[in-house]
Amino acid sequence: MAEKQIALLREQLAKLDEKKFDLDAWKTHTLIFLERIFGKDNSKLKLIQDLHYDYSSWSLRDTAAAGKTKDKDPVKLRASEILEATILELETLGLPEGEEEQQKLWKLLQDELTGKQVKEIEALAKSDDKEKTKKSAEFLKTSTKKTFLC
């Protein structure tokens, strides 16, 4: 069921091993994919956003003292762990249920409202209006009254 999403995340996992790895570009792509899969408020997005290289003198000193090599890059290791856990979650549990619930809601709305009303509510849902939830509720109240009175 989540094959496409898993494939996207596996591609991002493979990009961690590229010679010309750009952390910021990788993070941008990964955040876009994770937001699409899990939504804007998922903790995985925060984990990816927090990935960064620490160039402080203490960090550089500790790295040199420990003799860490390129293939043990702590940022890439952390990124890899996050993606592997995410892939395992999708393989085991499937997609989050919120997506399916949204699809059910849209189906119900399409069954009950006229085509024009569906287009209006879709446009409102896609808008950047800060009060779109309130306006959507008001729209549905008035639309359903009109629908059931006719």
Side-chain angles (χ1 to χ4, degrees):
M1 184 169 150
E3 292 87 15
K4 292 177 184 177
Q5 292 82 353
I6 291 170
L8 278 173
L9 296 178
R10 286 195 194 282
E11 284 179 33
Q12 288 305 104
L13 195 57
K15 287 181 182 180
L16 290 170
D17 296 328
E18 290 180 354
K19 285 186 179 184
K20 292 185 178 184
F21 177 73
D22 178 357
L23 179 62
D24 289 330
W26 181 88
K27 282 171 49 172
T28 300
H29 283 99
T30 305
L31 288 170
I32 290 168
F33 299 147
L34 290 175
E35 184 177 319
R36 172 78 188 244
I37 297 168
F38 295 101
K40 290 182 179 185
D41 297 324
N42 193 276
S43 61
K44 292 166 193 62
L45 275 76
K46 176 94 171 95
L47 291 171
I48 296 294
Q49 287 170 339
D50 290 345
L51 291 174
H52 67 279
Y53 287 104
D54 186 4
Y55 294 111
S56 70
S57 60
W58 289 104
S59 174
L60 294 172
R61 179 200 59 136
D62 292 344
T63 301
K68 291 185 180 178
T69 59
K70 265 179 134 174
D71 48 332
K72 292 187 180 181
D73 181 336
V75 174
K76 287 183 179 183
L77 283 174
R78 184 160 165 83
S80 175
E81 290 296 322
I82 294 166
L83 286 182
E84 287 173 7
T86 303
I87 291 169
L88 183 61
E89 176 184 345
L90 288 171
E91 288 173 339
T92 308
L93 304 174
L95 289 170
E97 290 184 21
E99 193 74 24
E100 291 175 20
E101 294 300 317
Q102 259 186 345
Q103 294 301 325
K104 287 179 187 176
L105 178 62
W106 278 114
K107 179 88 172 105
L108 287 170
L109 284 173
Q110 290 170 342
D111 289 347
E112 295 299 322
L113 301 175
T114 65
K116 181 181 177 187
Q117 290 170 326
V118 170
K119 287 179 184 175
E120 288 178 36
I121 198 79
E122 261 183 335
L124 190 56
K126 291 178 182 176
S127 75
D128 292 333
D129 191 345
K130 291 180 182 179
E131 293 187 6
K132 66 181 174 183
T133 304
K134 184 179 176 183
K135 289 180 180 179
S136 296
E138 191 62 38
F139 176 82
L140 288 172
K141 274 186 195 176
T142 58
S143 296
T144 53
K145 284 181 186 174
K146 289 178 191 173
T147 303
F148 292 116
L149 291 176
C150 293

